Amino acid sequence: MIAAAALVAVSGIIIAYAEFRNDLVSRRYESSWIEVQSDLLDTMLELYRGRLGDVSRTVVLDAEIDAALRNGSSDDLNRMLEQVRNTVRARPEFAVLSASGQILATTGDEAGLVESGAVEERATDAIRNRIIVAPSGSPFLVHYSPVRRGDVVVAQVVAYLEISDGISFFFPDLIGLALSQPKGGLLGLAGDVPELESALPEPDGQARHQIMSSSDGRRFDVATLPLRDEDGNFSGELVLLRDISDALEREEVLATLAFSSVLVIVLLSLGLLARALRLGFRPLGAVVYLLDAMARGETGLRMRNVEPPPEPESDVEGVPERFAYHSVARKDQEPDSSGSTSLAQRSVAEIDTLLDTVERFRASIDARNALIAVQEQLESARRIQQSLLPEDFDLHPGLDFSGRMRAAQDVGGDFFDAFPVDDGRVAAVIADVSGKGIAAALFAAQASVVLRSHCQTPENLPVQIQAANNALCQRNPEEMFLTAIVAFITPRTGEVAFVNAGHCPPMIAGIDGKVRLEMRPPNLVLGVLPDVDWSLHHLTLGPGESLLFHSDGFDEAQTKEGEILGRDKSMEIFGKVIGEAESQDCAAVSERILEEIDQFAGDAPQADDITLITMKLVD
């Protein structure tokens, strides 16, 4: 009985420990998960702010808006705003306010955003971003840009974009999306927003995660994320709902099966242990009766080779049935306890096996849950990283441009960017973050936004690079760094002004396939030390010449045997592709370079991220 009780106690302790450990891992996963969701929302808002800023600058710098403001023509303003809106994939809405706050023109159905008083009464010099809630309950990101005539602000352009559509893209698998207002009240924005049995806590600006049930019996994974603008103003909480009824039901079934299996194993082990103990202590019972008989002076007793009864009497008159008088002792009938010892040893081994089985089963469940969580986060990170890369390379009529980034893993640390600037030039950025994986991808997303927001003109590009580097150094807890080239191309003259922050030198190939390197004195990488100076370099593209920016994944490609491509062979590949290209555009050139890299590496896995930017002048 003591051994059985000990086995039951040990089994209970093991199960309790496994449940405690599972609960601890779940809490850690929940904390990590809500932190990732908050960072994802911040990244989405930062991306949308950048897009609205680019579109607003296009409107503000358009000469037609100044002419329309001078003429006081609302029709011209509406026409111009509608044309700009139709050229932007996100299709934001616009409004133009006079210096006194009067609405001069507006597009879309959300003019109430302007009339509601959420906009400043008068135009100011500052560029501002706000998050406001429309009368319909949908949150909008609003960007204000002043329109200047000389040093005087004469109007402001208001661009506003609904956030709900972006949330559906950045947060897939949502069953419903709602907004919890600061003053209370839940407004459904998209999908199925059921009536929850327990009310959500009052909005307090803190990200939370909980599992809740609806009145129809469904269960939901509910995440509440605070919605703030860049000044920290609180506009409410986004409520993200995922239907996890089926997943929880499967988990409960699996848990029931696991518990039943463990219970059956414990019961079988108890039965086997009881039988082993019964057989093991049977010879001891016979010895006790023999010693009792000898104490009474009956020295002629010997044990027969018969099975004793289960519970022999301890005090009877005469001799028990399993004993008899023999005048001669027989050695072959002496008690033998070797069989019982073997049974006891087997029982101990079975208990050890049971404990190991329970622990392995629990560990396998934990490992499976952790693997699923990691796969989901990697897929989300991959989609976000791809959305940050430009897709439209029609940057200038006089420039053929193409960019490609192929990550070595699900997400990578390389990125590139390209956008036109106000004076007719084109900006291009290529960068390579140290390390790989989610951390490198998140730092790359941050660096992409920082470089685009700081680097706008080539005249003071080193100063802008210094400001971007200082911003990266301030928010770099993991002490990561990146190499980068930031360049401004003038398609009319072929002049390229660029800063190289520790990146691979550019390659230029002529029509005949001859390649030269644009070597410059090396500069420090970004994100390491603040207040560092960088040098501005220049090169000129001749007619028919092609320019290549690339990351080190190109010349450091390797085979299974460890052979590295190297700079000489990478230049040879670039020259070969250009020499055979004839009339191929830059996009085809990039594809051919990737094919040549794959042909060299063979079956070897890609060792590092590969990023290519190719460009040439168009007659």
Side-chain angles (χ1 to χ4, degrees):
M1 292 300 293
I2 295 177
L7 178 59
V8 172
V10 169
S11 300
I13 291 173
I14 292 174
I15 295 175
Y17 169 74
E19 290 297 332
F20 169 76
R21 182 178 178 185
N22 182 60
D23 182 63
L24 180 62
V25 171
S26 298
R27 287 198 300 270
R28 289 178 179 174
Y29 166 71
E30 178 179 326
S31 175
S32 175
W33 183 84
I34 199 68
E35 182 179 351
V36 170
Q37 302 305 303
S38 298
D39 290 342
L40 188 58
L41 178 61
D42 292 341
T43 300
M44 185 201 77
L45 293 176
E46 192 68 30
L47 177 63
Y48 275 14
R49 291 190 188 103
R51 289 182 177 177
L52 287 182
D54 292 342
V55 175
S56 297
R57 281 193 294 272
T58 301
V59 177
V60 168
L61 297 175
D62 196 327
E64 293 185 13
I65 191 171
D66 186 64
L69 289 171
R70 290 178 183 274
N71 298 331
S73 174
S74 297
D75 293 337
D76 291 343
L77 288 174
N78 283 325
R79 177 182 52 80
M80 184 186 66
L81 293 178
E82 192 64 34
Q83 288 177 351
V84 174
R85 181 175 179 269
N86 292 333
T87 60
V88 180
R89 184 170 59 181
R91 296 184 67 81
E93 305 294 350
F94 294 96
V96 177
L97 303 182
S98 67
S100 62
Q102 179 184 1
I103 300 174
L104 302 179
T106 184
T107 65
D109 300 328
E110 295 293 342
L113 293 175
V114 180
E115 298 171 356
S116 64
V119 181
E120 296 290 338
E121 291 295 333
R122 299 181 62 85
T124 65
D125 292 334
I127 297 176
R128 306 181 306 280
N129 286 280
R130 295 290 184 269
I131 295 177
I132 62 177
V133 179
S136 62
S138 183
F140 280 75
L141 181 63
V142 185
H143 181 89
Y144 309 93
S145 297
V147 180
R148 297 181 176 88
R149 188 177 297 151
D151 295 332
V152 179
V153 177
V154 297
Q156 64 179 345
V157 174
V158 184
Y160 44 98
L161 182 64
E162 188 172 5
I163 299 176
S164 303
D165 295 338
I167 294 175
S168 300
F169 173 78
F170 279 85
F171 298 86
D173 304 328
L174 291 182
I175 190 67
L177 175 66
L179 176 69
S180 181
Q181 302 180 91
K183 297 181 180 180
L186 190 66
L187 297 175
L189 301 180
D192 179 14
V193 181
E195 182 178 353
L196 301 175
E197 291 181 351
S198 57
L200 288 169
E202 291 295 329
D204 57 0
Q206 300 296 322
R208 294 185 302 275
H209 174 261
Q210 54 192 318
I211 295 177
M212 307 181 70
S213 301
S214 63
S215 56
D216 57 2
R218 290 182 296 170
R219 303 177 72 181
F220 295 89
D221 185 1
V222 181
T224 55
L225 304 178
L227 196 59
R228 301 180 185 273
D229 59 24
E230 60 184 5
D231 292 334
N233 299 316
F234 181 56
S235 303
E237 293 179 343
L238 288 174
V239 181
L240 315 179
L241 296 99
R242 291 184 174 86
D243 191 343
I244 57 172
S245 302
D246 294 338
L248 288 179
E249 184 177 350
R250 288 193 299 268
E251 184 176 346
E252 290 172 356
V253 170
L254 289 175
T256 302
L257 291 176
F259 180 77
S260 301
S261 300
V262 172
L263 182 61
V264 169
I265 293 174
V266 170
L267 292 177
L268 289 175
S269 299
L270 287 174
L272 293 174
L273 178 62
R275 178 170 177 77
L277 293 175
R278 182 179 177 184
L279 293 177
F281 281 97
R282 185 175 298 166
L284 181 59
V287 171
V288 170
Y289 281 104
L290 179 60
L291 293 176
D292 182 65
M294 293 177 64
R296 296 195 301 269
E298 299 175 359
T299 57
L301 289 174
R302 294 292 186 272
M303 288 190 296
R304 292 180 177 175
N305 290 331
V306 295
E307 291 293 331
E311 294 181 358
E313 299 178 0
S314 61
D315 188 14
V316 296
E317 294 182 359
V319 182
E321 293 183 358
R322 64 178 179 275
F323 296 105
Y325 285 92
H326 294 273
S327 58
V328 180
R330 297 176 56 185
K331 294 182 179 180
D332 60 338
Q333 293 181 350
E334 290 295 326
D336 185 5
S337 60
S338 60
S340 61
T341 302
S342 177
L343 286 173
Q345 292 173 347
R346 286 199 298 271
S347 299
V348 173
E350 290 172 354
I351 294 174
D352 291 338
T353 302
L354 171 63
L355 298 180
D356 292 341
T357 302
V358 173
E359 182 60 27
R360 286 197 301 269
F361 184 75
R362 179 63 62 185
S364 66
I365 293 177
D366 293 343
R368 180 183 62 84
N369 293 337
L371 179 60
I372 292 174
V374 170
Q375 289 174 341
E376 291 177 350
Q377 297 305 319
L378 284 176
E379 180 61 23
S380 297
R382 185 191 66 79
R383 288 196 300 268
I384 294 172
Q385 187 175 48
Q386 290 299 321
S387 69
L388 294 176
L389 299 177
E391 298 178 355
D392 184 10
F393 300 122
D394 188 11
L395 305 173
H396 192 280
L399 184 67
D400 184 11
F401 190 96
S402 175
R404 283 293 307 275
M405 195 280 281
R406 192 170 72 181
Q409 300 177 1
D410 291 326
V411 291
D414 282 12
F415 69 88
F416 70 91
D417 197 1
F419 52 91
V421 292
D422 302 336
D423 56 0
R425 284 180 274 199
V426 175
V429 180
I430 184 171
D432 183 2
V433 176
S434 60
K436 298 181 180 66
I438 294 180
L442 288 175
F443 190 70
Q446 175 188 352
S448 175
V449 173
V450 169
L451 287 174
R452 174 178 273 231
S453 63
H454 283 80
C455 302
Q456 294 294 325
T457 61
E459 285 73 15
N460 58 346
L461 183 57
V463 177
Q464 300 173 49
I465 293 291
Q466 185 183 74
N469 175 68
N470 291 343
L472 292 172
C473 290
Q474 291 174 359
R475 301 183 64 184
N476 190 6
E478 298 299 323
E479 298 184 353
M480 305 182 77
F481 64 88
L482 70 151
T483 65
I485 291 180
V486 181
F488 285 86
I489 304 97
T490 306
R492 182 175 55 84
T493 62
E495 181 184 0
V496 180
F498 67 96
V499 168
N500 188 338
H503 202 74
C504 304
M507 298 182 187
I508 297 180
I511 300 176
D512 55 359
K514 292 184 178 180
V515 180
R516 69 179 186 271
L517 279 179
E518 290 294 331
M519 300 293 295
R520 297 291 189 275
N523 280 181
L524 188 66
V525 299
L526 302 178
V528 177
L529 294 174
D531 300 325
V532 178
D533 295 329
W534 278 268
S535 303
L536 181 64
H537 307 295
H538 295 83
L539 61 87
T540 301
L541 282 178
E545 290 185 331
S546 298
L547 175 62
L548 174 66
F549 295 147
H550 67 91
S551 64
D552 56 6
F554 179 14
D555 49 22
E556 292 182 4
Q558 55 183 304
T559 63
K560 277 187 175 181
E561 292 75 20
E563 179 185 356
I564 297 178
L565 181 63
R567 178 171 293 173
D568 293 339
K569 289 186 179 179
S570 63
M571 295 174 61
E572 181 182 340
I573 287 177
F574 182 42
K576 173 185 175 183
V577 172
I578 293 299
E580 297 174 353
E582 297 180 357
S583 62
Q584 294 181 14
D585 56 13
C586 288
V589 169
S590 298
E591 291 296 330
R592 284 284 297 116
I593 292 176
L594 291 175
E595 291 174 3
E596 290 289 337
I597 295 174
D598 293 339
Q599 184 176 356
F600 169 79
D603 296 333
Q606 185 174 325
D608 197 1
D609 306 328
I610 300 175
T611 303
L612 305 173
I613 290 182
T614 55
M615 66 188 80
K616 66 179 179 180
L617 302 180
V618 178
D619 297 333

